[in-house]
Amino acid sequence: MQQEAHTIIQTLKSKGLRVTPQRFAVYANLLSRSDHPTVETILADLNKDFPVSSQATIYSSLQALREVGLVQEVLLEEGVCRYDANVEPHHHFCCRRCGAIEDIAWETFQCVDMKSLRPGMRGESYEVIVRGWCERCEIAT
C-alpha cells in the first residue's frame, strides 16, 4: 500500500497538481475500482468510516483530476455522470437490468472510418456503448 500511495502522489505531482488528502483519496478510490462510480458513490465510499469529505470537495477534486487527464467523465445514461480512472481509449458495456458497467477493450471493434462521414463533418473521436444483459441477469431471466 505504501508503494501504491507513493505512485499516486508522484502521478499527481507529475501532472502539476497539489497533493491534497481529498485529491489523493478520490484518485486512489477511482484507481481501485472498475464500476464507473457517480460522485455520490465516491462520497459514500470515502465517508464510510467517518465523514471527511463533502460533495463539493469530491466535485472539485474530480474536476482537477479531469483537467490534467487522470480521470474521464463517462456519460452512459442521461443525467448521470460517472467517473473512470482508465483514461486509455476503450468502450463500455451497460447491463439494462442491473446497471453494471464494464470496460470493453478498444481493439474489440473494428476501427470506425471517420472519413466516411458526410462532407462538412469532421469527427475527432468515438466510443461504442454496448447495451444488453450481463451474465448474472441473463441467467436470471
Side-chain angles (χ1 to χ4, degrees), residues 18-81:
R18 195 166 47 89
V19 180
T20 65
Q22 295 83 2
R23 284 182 187 156
F24 179 90
V26 169
Y27 190 50
N29 183 274
L30 281 171
L31 286 171
S32 72
R33 58 193 319 154
S34 61
D35 61 344
H36 306 72
T38 62
V39 167
E40 294 78 13
T41 304
I42 296 168
L43 180 64
D45 214 25
L46 295 181
N47 288 340
K48 199 178 331 185
D49 297 324
F50 57 96
V52 292
S53 290
S54 68
Q55 194 171 36
T57 301
I58 302 298
Y59 272 115
S60 66
S61 295
L62 287 167
Q63 179 69 17
L65 293 166
R66 193 175 62 78
E67 286 175 1
V68 297
L70 292 176
V71 167
Q72 66 176 328
E73 290 180 339
V74 180
L75 305 169
L76 301 173
E77 53 193 298
E78 193 172 328
V80 180
C81 188

Side-chain angles (χ1 to χ4, degrees), residues 62-110:
L62 287 167
Q63 179 69 17
L65 293 166
R66 193 175 62 78
E67 286 175 1
V68 297
L70 292 176
V71 167
Q72 66 176 328
E73 290 180 339
V74 180
L75 305 169
L76 301 173
E77 53 193 298
E78 193 172 328
V80 180
C81 188
R82 297 177 175 278
Y83 295 88
D84 190 359
N86 177 2
V87 293
E88 296 301 316
H90 64 282
H91 307 288
H92 291 100
F93 173 84
C94 301
C95 180
R96 291 189 180 276
R97 177 171 283 160
C98 71
I101 299 167
E102 187 175 319
D103 289 346
I104 300 173
W106 185 257
E107 304 79 34
T108 302
F109 300 106
Q110 296 297 318

